[in-house]
Coordinates of all heavy atoms in Angstrom, one line a residue:
L1 N -218.8 -42.0 92.8 CA -218.1 -41.3 91.7 C -216.7 -41.9 91.6 O -216.0 -42.1 92.6 CB -218.0 -39.8 91.9 CG -219.3 -39.0 92.0 CD1 -218.9 -37.6 92.5 CD2 -219.9 -39.0 90.7
S2 N -216.2 -42.0 90.3 CA -214.8 -42.4 90.2 C -214.2 -41.7 89.0 O -214.9 -41.5 88.0 CB -214.7 -43.9 90.0 OG -215.6 -44.4 89.0
F3 N -213.0 -41.3 89.1 CA -212.3 -40.6 88.0 C -210.8 -40.7 88.2 O -210.3 -41.2 89.2 CB -212.7 -39.1 88.0 CG -212.6 -38.3 89.3 CD1 -211.4 -37.7 89.6 CD2 -213.6 -38.2 90.2 CE1 -211.2 -37.0 90.8 CE2 -213.5 -37.5 91.4 CZ -212.3 -36.9 91.7
I4 N -210.1 -40.3 87.1 CA -208.7 -40.4 87.0 C -208.1 -38.9 87.0 O -208.7 -38.1 86.2 CB -208.2 -41.1 85.8 CG1 -208.7 -42.6 85.8 CG2 -206.6 -41.1 85.7 CD1 -208.5 -43.4 84.5
R5 N -207.1 -38.7 87.7 CA -206.3 -37.4 87.6 C -205.0 -37.8 87.1 O -204.4 -38.7 87.5 CB -206.2 -36.7 89.0 CG -207.5 -36.2 89.5 CD -208.1 -35.0 88.7 NE -207.1 -34.0 88.4 CZ -206.8 -33.0 89.3 NH1 -207.3 -32.9 90.4 NH2 -205.8 -32.2 88.9
R6 N -204.5 -36.9 86.1 CA -203.2 -37.2 85.5 C -202.2 -36.0 85.6 O -202.7 -34.9 85.6 CB -203.4 -37.4 84.0 CG -204.3 -38.6 83.7 CD -204.4 -38.8 82.1 NE -205.5 -39.6 81.8 CZ -205.4 -41.0 81.8 NH1 -204.3 -41.5 82.2 NH2 -206.5 -41.7 81.5
G7 N -201.0 -36.4 85.7 CA -199.9 -35.4 85.7 C -199.4 -35.3 84.3 O -199.9 -35.9 83.4
K8 N -198.3 -34.5 84.1 CA -197.6 -34.3 82.8 C -197.0 -35.7 82.3 O -197.1 -36.0 81.2 CB -196.6 -33.3 82.8 CG -197.2 -31.9 83.0 CD -196.1 -30.8 83.1 CE -196.7 -29.5 83.4 NZ -195.6 -28.5 83.7
N9 N -196.4 -36.4 83.3 CA -195.8 -37.7 83.0 C -197.0 -38.7 83.0 O -197.7 -38.8 83.9 CB -194.8 -38.0 84.0 CG -194.1 -39.4 83.8 OD1 -194.6 -40.2 83.2 ND2 -193.0 -39.5 84.4
P10 N -197.1 -39.5 81.9 CA -198.2 -40.5 81.9 C -198.2 -41.5 83.1 O -199.2 -42.1 83.4 CB -197.9 -41.3 80.6 CG -197.1 -40.4 79.8 CD -196.3 -39.5 80.7
E11 N -197.0 -41.7 83.7 CA -196.9 -42.6 84.9 C -197.6 -41.9 86.1 O -197.9 -42.6 87.1 CB -195.4 -42.9 85.2 CG -194.7 -43.6 84.1 CD -195.0 -45.1 84.1 OE1 -195.1 -45.7 85.2 OE2 -195.2 -45.7 83.0
D12 N -197.7 -40.6 86.1 CA -198.3 -39.9 87.3 C -199.8 -39.9 87.1 O -200.3 -39.0 86.4 CB -197.7 -38.5 87.4 CG -196.3 -38.5 87.7 OD1 -195.8 -39.4 88.4 OD2 -195.6 -37.5 87.3
L13 N -200.5 -40.8 87.8 CA -201.9 -40.7 87.8 C -202.5 -41.2 89.1 O -201.8 -41.9 89.9 CB -202.6 -41.5 86.6 CG -202.4 -43.0 86.5 CD1 -203.4 -43.7 87.3 CD2 -202.5 -43.3 85.1
I14 N -203.6 -40.7 89.4 CA -204.3 -41.1 90.7 C -205.8 -41.5 90.3 O -206.4 -40.8 89.5 CB -204.4 -40.0 91.7 CG1 -202.9 -39.8 92.3 CG2 -205.4 -40.2 92.8 CD1 -202.8 -38.7 93.3
V15 N -206.3 -42.6 90.8 CA -207.6 -43.0 90.6 C -208.4 -42.6 91.9 O -208.0 -43.0 93.0 CB -207.8 -44.5 90.4 CG1 -209.2 -44.9 90.4 CG2 -207.1 -44.9 89.1
A16 N -209.4 -41.8 91.8 CA -210.2 -41.3 92.9 C -211.5 -42.0 92.9 O -212.2 -42.0 91.8 CB -210.4 -39.8 92.9
V17 N -211.9 -42.6 94.0 CA -213.2 -43.3 94.1 C -213.9 -42.7 95.3 O -213.4 -42.8 96.4 CB -213.1 -44.8 94.3 CG1 -214.5 -45.5 94.4 CG2 -212.3 -45.4 93.1
I18 N -215.0 -42.0 95.1 CA -215.7 -41.3 96.1 C -217.0 -42.0 96.4 O -217.9 -42.1 95.6 CB -216.0 -39.9 95.7 CG1 -214.8 -39.2 95.1 CG2 -216.7 -39.1 96.8 CD1 -213.8 -38.8 96.1
N19 N -217.2 -42.5 97.7 CA -218.5 -43.1 98.1 C -219.1 -42.0 99.0 O -218.7 -41.7 100.1 CB -218.2 -44.4 98.9 CG -219.4 -44.9 99.5 OD1 -220.6 -44.5 99.3 ND2 -219.3 -46.0 100.4
A20 N -220.2 -41.4 98.5 CA -220.9 -40.3 99.2 C -222.0 -40.8 100.2 O -222.9 -40.1 100.4 CB -221.4 -39.4 98.2
T21 N -221.8 -42.0 100.7 CA -222.8 -42.6 101.7 C -222.0 -43.2 102.8 O -220.8 -43.5 102.7 CB -223.7 -43.7 101.1 OG1 -222.9 -44.8 100.9 CG2 -224.3 -43.2 99.7
P22 N -222.7 -43.4 103.9 CA -222.0 -44.1 105.1 C -222.1 -45.6 104.9 O -221.7 -46.4 105.8 CB -222.8 -43.7 106.3 CG -224.2 -43.3 105.7 CD -224.0 -42.8 104.3
V23 N -222.6 -46.1 103.8 CA -222.7 -47.5 103.5 C -221.5 -48.0 102.8 O -221.1 -47.4 101.8 CB -224.0 -47.8 102.7 CG1 -224.2 -49.3 102.3 CG2 -225.2 -47.2 103.4
T24 N -220.9 -49.1 103.2 CA -219.8 -49.7 102.6 C -220.3 -50.3 101.2 O -221.3 -51.0 101.1 CB -219.2 -50.9 103.4 OG1 -218.8 -50.3 104.7 CG2 -218.0 -51.5 102.7
R25 N -219.5 -50.0 100.2 CA -219.9 -50.5 98.8 C -218.8 -51.5 98.4 O -217.6 -51.3 98.7 CB -219.9 -49.3 97.8 CG -220.9 -48.2 98.2 CD -222.3 -48.6 98.0 NE -223.2 -47.5 98.2 CZ -224.4 -47.6 98.5 NH1 -225.0 -48.8 98.7 NH2 -225.1 -46.5 98.7
G26 N -219.2 -52.5 97.8 CA -218.3 -53.5 97.3 C -218.6 -54.0 95.9 O -219.6 -53.6 95.3
G27 N -217.7 -54.8 95.4 CA -218.0 -55.4 94.1 C -217.6 -54.5 92.9 O -218.0 -54.9 91.7
Y28 N -217.0 -53.4 93.1 CA -216.5 -52.6 92.0 C -215.2 -53.1 91.5 O -214.4 -53.5 92.2 CB -216.4 -51.1 92.5 CG -217.6 -50.4 92.8 CD1 -218.3 -50.4 94.0 CD2 -218.2 -49.7 91.7 CE1 -219.5 -49.8 94.2 CE2 -219.4 -49.0 92.0 CZ -220.0 -49.1 93.2 OH -221.2 -48.4 93.4
R29 N -215.1 -52.9 90.1 CA -213.9 -53.3 89.4 C -213.6 -52.1 88.5 O -214.5 -51.7 87.7 CB -214.0 -54.6 88.7 CG -214.2 -55.8 89.6 CD -214.2 -57.0 88.9 NE -212.9 -57.1 88.2 CZ -212.3 -58.2 87.8 NH1 -212.9 -59.3 88.0 NH2 -211.1 -58.2 87.2
W30 N -212.3 -51.7 88.5 CA -211.9 -50.7 87.5 C -210.6 -51.2 86.8 O -209.8 -51.8 87.4 CB -211.5 -49.4 88.3 CG -212.7 -48.7 88.8 CD1 -213.6 -47.8 88.1 CD2 -213.3 -48.7 90.1 NE1 -214.6 -47.4 88.9 CE2 -214.4 -47.9 90.2 CE3 -212.9 -49.4 91.3 CZ2 -215.1 -47.7 91.3 CZ3 -213.6 -49.2 92.4 CH2 -214.7 -48.4 92.4
V31 N -210.5 -50.8 85.6 CA -209.3 -51.1 84.8 C -208.5 -49.8 84.9 O -208.9 -48.7 84.4 CB -209.6 -51.5 83.4 CG1 -208.3 -51.7 82.6 CG2 -210.5 -52.7 83.4
C32 N -207.3 -49.9 85.5 CA -206.4 -48.8 85.5 C -205.6 -48.7 84.3 O -205.2 -49.7 83.7 CB -205.5 -48.9 86.7 SG -206.4 -48.7 88.3
P33 N -205.2 -47.5 83.8 CA -204.5 -47.3 82.5 C -203.1 -47.9 82.5 O -202.7 -48.3 81.4 CB -204.4 -45.8 82.3 CG -205.5 -45.3 83.2 CD -205.7 -46.2 84.3
T34 N -202.4 -48.0 83.6 CA -201.1 -48.6 83.6 C -201.0 -49.5 84.9 O -201.5 -49.1 85.9 CB -200.0 -47.5 83.7 OG1 -200.1 -46.8 84.9 CG2 -200.1 -46.6 82.5
P35 N -200.2 -50.6 84.8 CA -200.0 -51.4 86.0 C -199.4 -50.6 87.2 O -199.6 -50.9 88.3 CB -199.1 -52.5 85.5 CG -199.2 -52.5 84.0 CD -199.6 -51.1 83.6
A36 N -198.5 -49.7 86.8 CA -197.8 -48.9 87.9 C -198.7 -48.1 88.7 O -198.5 -47.8 89.9 CB -196.7 -48.0 87.3

């Protein structure tokens, strides 16, 4: 699962990526809303 959490300031955000297995996952790419 992957999602974004945002604060009141647009610069305040966190990207959460949840791997619910014991298996390492690779090859994922996400575009983040801001470079910061």
